[in-house]
């Protein structure tokens, strides 16, 4: 007698069939088989053909100066109006989400046509970015070579995978009224004095220096990478492979950080993100902080936090020096054309348009001088001459290094940065000051795990 | 002469009239959806965890259980994360159960504005998690914490809620308990309302106090619901992501990571897909054991 199929048997068979499906073609492979382009099998790169119109999506972060985003949209619309039937959509995402959305787009082989990459990200997403060497060559012919600190992050294995767009230079914003009380009306220029006078101000007024020690992609990276370098520490040697973090120099940097934490810093910094020091400074609870110019610009009339009193009390200074160096790392942006873009040629044309000095200058002006051009081509812009405080930020551009310095930028150095290995090393040191040697050893182990992988 | 019915109509009618084929037919769309959106991603996740796949890289290799070996033997952050997940889940579930039970007991009594109070107590659970957590983030803010401002008015220096010592984990648990208590409250209230009143009357006649009636009638009667609710809460809390990610991002220094947030940080931000998949799959056997244990207890009942 034939055995009847029971409901449970049917379900079991269906489950196994589904599992078998997992070993079969993926959804993306099916799409490719049907003729759709993906990052693995991109459509052939088109020459610049605007006929028929189209739409370009650019994804970028939320600018700390809202007027800059408004101007950027205006500029992209202006480009679109010059090409019949074209439209540019600017997708502005929360800063903390930009990398997540970029990863999601790369995984899905679909998404924005142009993505604003930060730091070394072209290394992380190299297989998803179009070669834009031709664009860079044309731009550099007009404006000069881009600075190494931003160029290195966009050149991957000899190819430009993104066009440098801008620095967000950092400098020390400080309360002139407080620092004058300790005899430093123009701030300090080295780590020892920052510790000494920052401590005096905190003891006298209970107002600390503030800096992020949490997973803040901009501020924490800027502060603690530069501290490490200024004391002579480095994560790898020049070969970009040999881990060199466990050294007397790095230890000295950690010891300075511990003293700063215990005596002069705001101890809520472990929980800070990139907006926290902005809020704290605007609330009058910080004597100084290392940041972009957004804090200062937003105090100006017509801006969201317009505050004439705080504006008059605030000044800026270039990043400070340590025993071995005066360095910094600026949040840097570059525009990458993605391999799934329907019209890469049009995307390149848009990026090249935006890099023109007069166009870029409008964006610079709208942002109040918050950003700097990827080289010195805009050093004579009126916005720097107008306010010496803002000029400090542009002056600090040349101090910039890149994640993984002195090694060349790589996927590994990018992983170290996006995993906050160096920042966490400093955070652990301030939490456990008696375990610095163990912390160095653990960090060395972590870095060996990352740099052991092929770059 | 009898009308001849088309064969296709006879087949269709036969299909619709027979329970078994109709049952399977109606089940098929749901199974297809489950297969595409649950079974396939799950199986693909298992595959990824056995490779060294990373975002942005076309090539990856099969590495067997190396990812798991690395996590359990070398990744100290993962080891801490695993402990955090257990601590976070079990502490919050215990508190949510106790407070939910009390909430249900109070709401089970009929009084004026009873309906309004029930609706109001559900609010933490109804408000989207992200929104409510953002509000909590503001309340814990290092500069603008309303708690610390209030404490300062009475001369107390409030803690660094999200950055120092045990406070970050305590803050996360607080928010989770606040949000999850109504879940227990509502389900246990519904269970309490199905307890036959004559049981209480009989017990009262026999001289049982209110507490004895609650302990020996209410609790045993609603025990199956307690088990199911607890099981669901454990599963949901084990997999919690939003509260931790918004409040602390797993910090400070990776100290408040749970498996979901660490998997996200490793797989998406760190681009290590294989490792991220392995971290998230560690949850699966743990949850299977938990589910099996609770279902066994239920069957016993």
């Amino acid at each position: 007698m034939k055995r009847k199929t029971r409901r449970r048997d049917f379900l079991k068979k269906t489950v196994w069939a589904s599992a078998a499906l997992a070993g079969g073609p993926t959804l993306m492979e099916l799409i490719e088989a049907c003729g759709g382009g993906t990052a693995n099998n991109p459509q052939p790169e088109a020459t610049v053909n605007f006929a028929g119109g189209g739409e370009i999506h650019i994804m970028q972060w939320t600018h700390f100066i809202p007027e800059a985003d408004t101007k950027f949209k205006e500029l992209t619309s202006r480009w679109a109006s010059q090409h019949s039937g074209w439209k540019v959509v600017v997708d502005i995402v929360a800063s903390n989400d930009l990398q997540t959305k970029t990863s999601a787009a790369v995984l899905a082989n679909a998404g924005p046509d142009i993505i604003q990459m930060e730091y070394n990200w072209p290394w992380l997403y190299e297989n998803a970015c179009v070669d834009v060497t031709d664009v860079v060559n044309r731009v550099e012919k007009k404006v000069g070579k881009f600075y190494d600190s931003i160029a290195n992050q966009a050149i991957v294995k000899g190819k430009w995978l993104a066009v440098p767009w801008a620095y967000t230079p950092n400098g020390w914003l400080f309360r002139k009224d407080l620092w004058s009380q300790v005899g430093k009306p123009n701030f300090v220029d080295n780590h020892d004095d920052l510790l000494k006078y920052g401590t005096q101000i905190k003891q006298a007024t209970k107002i600390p220096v503030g800096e992020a020690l949490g997973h803040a992609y901009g501020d924490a990276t800027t502060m603690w990478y530069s501290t490490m370098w200024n004391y002579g520490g480095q994560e790898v040697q020049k070969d970009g492979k040999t881990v060199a973090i466990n050294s007397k120099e790095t230890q000295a940097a950690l010891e300075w950080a511990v003293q700063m934490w215990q005596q002069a810093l705001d101890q809520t910094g472990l929980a800070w993100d990139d907006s926290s020091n902005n809020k704290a400074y605007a609330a009058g609870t910080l004597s100084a902080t290392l940041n972009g110019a957004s804090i200062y610009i937003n105090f100006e009339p017509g801006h969201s936090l317009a505050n004439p009193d705080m504006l008059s009390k605030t000044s800026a200074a270039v990043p400070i020096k340590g025993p071995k160096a005066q360095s910094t790392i600026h949040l840097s942006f570059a525009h990458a054309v993605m391999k799934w873009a329907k019209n890469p040629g049009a995307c390149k044309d848009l990026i090249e348009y935006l890099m023109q000095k007069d166009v870029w200058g409008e964006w610079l002006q709208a942002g109040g001088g918050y950003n700097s051009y990827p080289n010195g081509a805009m050093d004579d812009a009126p916005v720097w001459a107008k306010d010496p405080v803002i000029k400090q930020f542009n002056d600090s551009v040349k101090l910039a290094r890149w994640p993984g310095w002195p090694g060349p930028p790589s996927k590994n150095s990018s992983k170290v940065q996006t995993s906050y290995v160096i920042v966490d090393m400093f955070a652990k040191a301030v939490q456990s000051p008696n375990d610095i040697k163990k912390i160095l050893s653990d960090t060395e182990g972590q870095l060996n795990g990352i740099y052991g992988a092929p770059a | 002469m009898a009308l001849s019915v088309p064969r296709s109509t006879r087949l269709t009618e036969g299909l619709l009239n027979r329970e078994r084929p109709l049952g399977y037919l109606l089940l098929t769309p749901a199974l297809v959806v489950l297969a595409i959106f649950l079974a396939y991603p799950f199986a693909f996740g298992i595959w990824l965890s056995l490779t060294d796949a990373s975002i942005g890289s076309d090539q990856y290799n099969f590495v067997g259980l190396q990812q798991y070996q690395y996590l359990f033997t070398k990744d100290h952050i993962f080891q801490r994360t695993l402990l955090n997940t257990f601590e976070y889940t079990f502490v919050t579930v215990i508190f949510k159960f106790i407070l939910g039970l009390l909430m249900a007991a109070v709401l089970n009594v009929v009084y004026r504005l009873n309906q309004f109070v029930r609706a109001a107590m559900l609010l933490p659970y109804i408000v989207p998690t992200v929104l409510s957590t953002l509000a909590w983030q503001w309340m814990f803010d290092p500069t603008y914490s309303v708690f610390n401002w209030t404490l300062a008015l009475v001369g107390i220096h409030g803690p660094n809620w999200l950055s120092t010592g045990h406070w970050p984990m305590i803050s996360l648990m607080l928010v989770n308990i606040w949000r999850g208590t109504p879940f227990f409250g509502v389900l246990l209230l519904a269970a309490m309302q199905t307890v036959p009143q004559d049981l209480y009357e009989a017990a009262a006649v026999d001289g049982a106090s209110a507490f004895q009636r609650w302990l020996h009638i209410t609790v045993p009667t609603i025990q199956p619901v307690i088990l199911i609710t607890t099981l669901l809460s454990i599963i949901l809390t084990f997999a919690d992501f939003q509260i931790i990610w918004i409040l602390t991002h797993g910090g400070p220094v990776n100290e408040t990571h749970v498996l979901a947030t660490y998997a996200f940080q490793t797989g998406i931000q760190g681009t290590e897909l294989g490792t991220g998949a392995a971290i998230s799959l560690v949850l699966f056997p743990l949850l299977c054991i938990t589910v099996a244990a609770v279902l066994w207890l239920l069957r016993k009942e």
Side-chain angles (χ1 to χ4, degrees), chain B residues 72-91:
Chain B
F72 281 97
T73 58
K74 294 203 173 112
D75 190 341
H76 301 300
I77 300 173
F78 170 79
Q79 289 154 21
R80 173 76 190 253
T81 299
L82 197 57
L83 286 172
N84 285 349
T85 309
F86 275 98
E87 186 189 342
Y88 179 73
T89 302
F90 287 107
V91 170

Side-chain angles (χ1 to χ4, degrees), chain A residues 395-451:
Chain A
D395 288 347
S396 72
V397 165
K398 289 182 184 144
L399 299 172
R401 292 177 180 174
W402 54 88
W405 181 95
S410 66
K411 189 163 182 168
N412 294 333
S413 63
S414 207
K415 275 190 213 172
V416 169
Q417 189 212 341
T418 55
S419 306
Y420 297 96
V421 174
I422 303 299
V423 172
D424 283 347
M425 177 181 70
F426 279 91
K428 283 181 220 168
V430 307
Q431 285 184 321
S432 308
N434 296 327
D435 295 332
I436 284 181
K437 287 199 159 81
K438 182 176 182 308
I439 290 165
L440 276 170
S441 172
D442 288 346
T443 308
E444 185 179 38
Q446 260 188 294
L447 290 177
N448 277 328
I450 294 173
Y451 279 96

Side-chain angles (χ1 to χ4, degrees), chain A residues 232-286:
Chain A
Q234 55 201 47
E235 72 190 63
V236 285
Q237 306 282 19
K238 259 189 181 164
D239 61 5
K241 293 178 209 167
T242 313
V243 173
I245 193 76
N246 196 348
S247 65
K248 280 188 292 221
E249 290 81 8
T250 313
Q251 185 175 337
L254 292 177
E255 285 164 355
W256 177 85
V258 167
Q259 287 184 286
M260 269 301 285
W261 181 258
Q262 289 172 347
Q263 296 169 31
L265 278 174
D266 186 325
Q267 294 193 348
T268 59
L270 283 167
W272 285 12
D273 64 15
D274 280 277
S275 66
S276 302
N277 63 337
N278 293 54
K279 285 187 285 191
Y281 192 93
T285 59
L286 296 182

